[in-house]
Amino acid sequence: MSAPFTPEHTSADNRFQRRHQRKTADERALIIEMIAVLFFVALCVAIVVQLFAQSASDCRSAHDTSCATRLARCDAEQFDVSPDKVTGVSYFDVDGNPSDTPSYWTLTRTVAPEQTEAGTMYYATIHLLSTQGTTYDLSTARYESNGEGETL
């Protein structure tokens, strides 16, 4: 006598189970692959964001250096041509425009005269300090003999 017919023993049912197991394994592989791709994309985005942040910081630093150089050079030229050799403090905004109150840049000019037999030597130190901590120093000198000056 043959065994009674049960659905668990049919070959069609076995094929269905094998297909289902294969399909589940394929889905797991796809999910793992998607997680790996998402991790890679997140890593790339993090690197790009850091690059943009560093670029912005470098740009700000370059702007500060350029502005400080310009302000110090202009003050040194003023010292060279101005008849009053005084120590003083000046204030400038972030773009280097003059300001009446303490702002982004504080420029301090210190002048030290030194008498010689033939005239006076004026030594000036120009110090720039920003609110961000950026500093820039410039030293210059001017010699005056009988009312006429020469820059050294």
Side-chain angles (χ1 to χ4, degrees), residues 8 12-23:
E8 295 131 7
D13 194 36
N14 287 340
R15 277 184 273 155
F16 175 75
Q17 285 179 349
R18 278 183 270 151
R19 265 193 236 137
H20 180 67
Q21 288 173 348
R22 227 182 291 132
K23 187 176 178 184

Side-chain angles (χ1 to χ4, degrees), residues 2-152:
S2 70
F5 177 76
T6 59
E8 295 131 7
H9 293 10
T10 64
S11 63
D13 194 36
N14 287 340
R15 277 184 273 155
F16 175 75
Q17 285 179 349
R18 278 183 270 151
R19 265 193 236 137
H20 180 67
Q21 288 173 348
R22 227 182 291 132
K23 187 176 178 184
T24 305
D26 289 345
E27 287 174 353
R28 282 189 206 132
L30 180 64
I31 289 173
I32 291 171
E33 193 175 326
M34 288 174 66
I35 289 172
V37 168
L38 286 174
F39 175 76
F40 180 73
V41 168
L43 183 67
C44 289
V45 168
I47 290 170
V48 168
V49 167
Q50 286 180 352
L51 288 175
F52 276 112
Q54 183 63 41
S55 174
S57 175
D58 290 348
C59 181
R60 179 81 232 152
S61 177
H63 178 268
D64 281 357
T65 302
S66 174
C67 191
T69 304
R70 183 174 50 86
L71 288 172
R73 188 179 62 234
C74 287
D75 193 65
E77 288 173 3
Q78 238 178 5
F79 169 75
D80 182 41
V81 297
S82 92
D84 60 333
K85 302 346 172 245
V86 295
T87 297
V89 176
S90 304
Y91 303 107
F92 299 91
D93 67 9
V94 70
D95 293 321
N97 301 316
S99 175
D100 295 331
T101 59
S103 189
Y104 189 79
W105 291 105
T106 302
L107 183 141
T108 307
R109 182 199 301 171
T110 307
V111 179
E114 182 183 304
Q115 289 289 30
T116 63
E117 291 179 18
T120 305
M121 181 68 114
Y122 294 95
Y123 296 98
T125 302
I126 300 163
H127 178 75
L128 273 147
L129 177 66
S130 76
T131 56
Q132 302 298 314
T134 305
T135 60
Y136 187 82
D137 292 312
L138 178 71
S139 296
T140 186
R142 177 184 169 97
Y143 179 76
E144 280 193 7
S145 171
N146 300 331
E148 293 187 21
E150 296 178 24
T151 302
L152 300 177

